[in-house]
Amino acid sequence: MSQDSEYSEGDLRNTGMSLKHDREWDYELDRIVEAVEERDATKVGLQFPEGLKRRGPQVADDIRELVPDDVTVMLSGQPCYGACDLDTYLMKRTDVFVHFGHSPMKNTDKVIYVPLFSNVDVFPIMEESLDELADPDDDPNVGLVTTAQHMNQFEDMKAWLDDRGFDVKTRRGDDRLTHEGQVLGCNYASADIDADQVLYVGGGKFHPLGLAMEHPDKNVVIADPVNNVVTVADTEKFLKQRYASVHKAMDAEKWGVIFCTKIGQGRWEQAEEILEDNDDAYLITMDEVTPDRLRNFDMDAFVNTGCPRITTDDGPQFHKPMLTPGEYEIAVGNKPLDELSFDTFHGTW
């Protein structure tokens, strides 16, 4: 998925922090080697998210030194943007399959999840975030959310806010979320708490933007320890972009309905409902949804039932309007324009 920055979320280059916080990850090699021994494995598959693929060969070398010579270690070259994005082809052809960088979205014996927690100190930027949060004497309630990379410090974050007089509200969302207080780019159920303000601790702009869209009644303060900056989520620019896409699609006659075949991103029932109600809608199945792949389809607009970030992150790059299912309902006149909302993803496969 594209980002506002040229660097992936979690990349420390050009942030002013690269010398202070060298990235050190725990790849949990002992757990991987133990699984190889228990399963008498001869094939091991490793899958890394985009920003960490460059670490793959070294991790493979480290594993090779710890396992028998007849064990083959393979690296997935498929794009990977989350725990919903498993390389099922490689997984079916290996005895041990390891997914790095994300918390498990569904418990399974087939996959070893290694979350790769961040070593960046979050507390200096949390200190700065106090300028944007209400004074605890005026409003002590604050929600706290973060991403999988910072979950190793979540309890300490809660204690830190508690020590400063806040009543910290947290919850675990639905089954798509592993941890209390965790948010995904497609799911913000953990922010459904009794507080008018939410502190998001983490890198990137997409997660807090989605959070602010999903919970427009809350003030979302962003404490970004990766880029060392505090901001308040502003949805105005994003909404203008989405309204513009919907307007462009209102005259569309032929619709391409995208069904994503990735294991954790398929919403078949949504795609089916659109097809049943629109004789000019055509189902297009894809694993990786990119502008180039859709350019040869003669459609007036597309509706994406897969990962919401395909629409919101990469939407402007497509040659024809790319809408979420909710935006499609507005474009074809089934819902009023003021019902435009952020597309979220719930449940697992």
Side-chain angles (χ1 to χ4, degrees), residues 79-216:
C80 177
Y81 301 104
C84 57
D85 200 355
L86 300 176
D87 185 345
T88 53
Y89 182 93
L90 182 60
M91 180 173 64
K92 292 175 182 177
R93 288 158 178 81
T94 52
D95 306 304
V96 173
F97 181 77
V98 189
H99 180 93
F100 293 95
H102 302 107
S103 299
M105 190 167 286
K106 185 175 183 179
N107 291 327
T108 171
D109 294 333
K110 295 181 179 179
V111 185
I112 296 175
Y113 289 91
V114 178
L116 300 182
F117 295 123
S118 171
N119 65 317
V120 172
D121 184 359
V122 300
F123 298 104
I125 203 66
M126 288 182 66
E127 185 72 43
E128 292 188 29
S129 74
L130 296 178
D131 292 337
E132 298 293 346
L133 293 172
D135 188 288
D137 290 335
D138 299 324
D139 183 5
N141 295 331
V142 61
L144 176 65
V145 296
T146 189
T147 58
Q149 288 74 31
H150 301 287
M151 288 307 310
N152 57 323
Q153 301 183 71
F154 188 72
E155 291 301 320
D156 290 336
M157 293 182 209
K158 288 171 60 178
W160 189 93
L161 289 167
D162 184 71
D163 288 344
R164 282 151 184 80
F166 289 99
D167 185 359
V168 186
K169 307 292 186 180
T170 63
R171 68 184 293 265
R172 182 194 168 194
D174 58 27
D175 291 341
R176 200 169 178 84
L177 299 158
T178 309
H179 305 288
E180 176 186 347
Q182 180 186 4
V183 292
L184 302 174
C186 62
N187 189 303
Y188 309 96
S190 291
D192 187 16
I193 39 82
D194 185 20
D196 294 330
Q197 56 183 346
V198 177
L199 178 63
Y200 164 83
V201 181
K205 295 181 179 179
F206 184 85
H207 290 76
L209 177 62
L211 198 159
M213 286 287 296
E214 180 75 357
H215 300 280

Side-chain angles (χ1 to χ4, degrees), residues 17-35:
M17 299 180 68
S18 56
L19 296 179
K20 288 179 61 179
H21 298 291
D22 185 27
R23 285 310 185 115
E24 297 176 359
W25 306 107
D26 177 8
Y27 296 100
E28 301 189 27
L29 299 184
D30 291 345
R31 186 153 67 103
I32 298 169
V33 171
E34 182 179 345

Side-chain angles (χ1 to χ4, degrees), residues 255-293:
W255 286 85
V257 182
I258 309 300
F259 174 75
C260 186
T261 58
K262 292 185 177 182
I263 189 170
Q265 296 183 10
R267 290 184 282 184
W268 176 255
E269 291 182 359
Q270 276 194 332
E272 198 171 36
E273 287 176 4
I274 296 171
L275 293 169
E276 289 177 353
D277 293 338
N278 190 339
D279 291 336
D280 295 314
Y282 303 86
L283 184 70
I284 303 173
T285 64
M286 309 180 75
D287 56 353
E288 185 71 5
V289 184
T290 66
D292 288 344
R293 287 187 170 191

